[in-house]
Amino acid sequence: VAKTSLTSPPWPEVKLPDPVEEAKYHAEVVRKVNGLIAAGEYGRLFAVVHFASKQWKITSEDLIMMDNVLEAECGDRIRMEKVLLVGADDFTLIGRPLLGKDLVRVEATVIEKTESWPKVNMHFWRRHNFQRKKIIANPQTVLRINTIEIYPCLS
Amino acid sequence: FLQHFRGRKNRCYRLAVRSVRRAFVRSTKARREKKRFLRALWITRIEAASLEHGLKYPAFISNLVKSQVELNRKVLADLAIYEPKTFKSLAALAQRRRQEGFLAALGDGKEPEGIFSRIVHQHY
């Protein structure tokens, strides 16, 4: 059959590596990472956590401020589940979409529960005698991330 | 509220009232625009970082979403700035998913059944 413009797809042809060799390589990498975690040879850990409908990139000794009210008192320890990503210098663990609770542990303490500065919400239409003014002060919470720990239970 | 304004607006009551009103209205509107502006900024940063690794932004984002990695653009931009190795691994993941998508779209590579010829001979 002759070659037309539609015989071959517009993207360059790619070949995937052999699945058996791939499985061996994957097992090797998992073993190495497990060994690193068990030996404790990582420096600072950072994590991406989904909290208060926002995603935060956090490390240890971090301050986080959110624009809402938490039902915990000041000084309460909080464990954050819903961890999306954990990384260190040599390796990262990417969750699909979340990582397991037995893999990562993120601890935080509630430090402050204040209100934001008074913001002015104003609407004004000229020549129409239309003016609305409202002062809004949102409640805010400040958290300090104490620790991020990982446990060597990959598979 | 208006100590830092220019000209007579910071001294005279009449002019000050008008300029303070306009400033309040503009700040309320800007608070809504800020979200759009920041998202566009994140998108340009992620695009630049993914081009450094040989991927375009739509391909990168679509492949990440298809491999069930739900990271938002703010975090992706922060990773691209402060954690280049992590961003490189994410780009490699997206590239691999893209290639698997291409192979899945091609299928077997055989001719479909029931067709006896694809070439039309023109007789003039």
Side-chain angles (χ1 to χ4, degrees), chain A residues 22 46 55 96 120-121, chain B residues 28 31 67 70 72 83 96:
Chain A
E22 271 239 88
F46 76 91
Q55 294 181 11
R96 301 249 206 139
V120 179
N121 208 359
Chain B
T28 49
R31 248 176 270 141
S67 21
E70 305 276 340
N72 67 353
E83 322 271 342
R96 175 62 192 262

Side-chain angles (χ1 to χ4, degrees), chain B residues 22-68:
Chain B
R22 280 169 79 74
F24 282 156
V25 171
R26 279 178 180 160
S27 66
T28 49
K29 286 191 190 157
R31 248 176 270 141
R32 296 165 57 187
E33 303 276 306
K34 181 176 169 184
K35 298 157 183 122
R36 302 177 207 176
F37 170 70
L38 278 179
R39 185 173 159 127
L41 178 70
W42 296 327
I43 288 181
T44 47
R45 284 186 178 169
I46 296 169
E47 192 167 348
S50 65
L51 283 172
E52 279 177 15
H53 292 290
L55 268 179
K56 295 191 190 166
Y57 172 81
F60 181 62
I61 292 270
S62 56
N63 293 119
L64 271 191
V65 163
K66 282 176 193 172
S67 21
Q68 293 176 326

